[in-house]
Amino acid sequence: MFRAPFFKVAGTALLSAGLVMAQGAAAQDASAAAGSDVLLELNGLADADAGGCAVTFLTTNRLPQGLQRAIWQVAIFNTDGVVTALPALDFGALVAGKTRVKTFVIPGTTCTSLGRIVVNDVVDCTAEDGSDLRNLCLSNLATQNRSNIEFGI
């Protein structure tokens, strides 16, 4: 009789410790995203009227200066894990502190055939003063995902 409550208490303590660790990891992820200079979020997928999959992204420029142009290349994988496209997502100019939402259509595919999207490279990330910030726009990039497929760096 004594052992049952002990194991129950130990199991509860382990469960509580696991929840605390999971909450800590979630808070750490949130603070990492909050501390990053640029945020890129996969916001949603919808079948396009003209065919293809309309993929909606948002980006937030948390840099102290604006960007003349911001372009990320992503790798589009199907559900079998095969790369099917390497489109460049051109967000244009990004004002400091501004969030921009853009939808890009991936032709010749359906949203249900998409399995994963990975940020592959930075094509362009030029500051207002003309300086090249490609390294900063990749190394200090945080990703978020609100879709039902994998997304990240």
Side-chain angles (χ1 to χ4, degrees), residues 62-133:
R62 296 178 178 151
L63 293 165
Q65 75 258 19
L67 299 173
Q68 287 180 17
R69 195 156 191 202
I71 305 173
W72 286 272
Q73 181 194 54
V74 295
I76 309 289
F77 294 80
N78 65 18
T79 54
D80 294 326
V82 176
V83 175
T84 59
L86 292 167
L89 309 178
D90 188 345
F91 286 91
L94 296 173
V95 175
K98 175 78 172 115
T99 297
R100 171 165 294 147
V101 178
K102 285 191 87 167
T103 299
F104 302 90
V105 176
I106 303 168
T109 190
T110 62
C111 294
T112 57
S113 68
L114 299 182
R116 177 168 68 138
I117 299 176
V118 173
V119 178
N120 193 47
D121 202 1
V122 178
V123 176
D124 191 359
C125 189
T126 305
E128 287 177 334
D129 66 5
S131 58
D132 183 353
L133 300 179

Side-chain angles (χ1 to χ4, degrees), residues 12-24:
T12 302
L14 288 175
L15 177 61
S16 297
L19 289 173
V20 168
M21 288 180 2
Q23 289 171 342

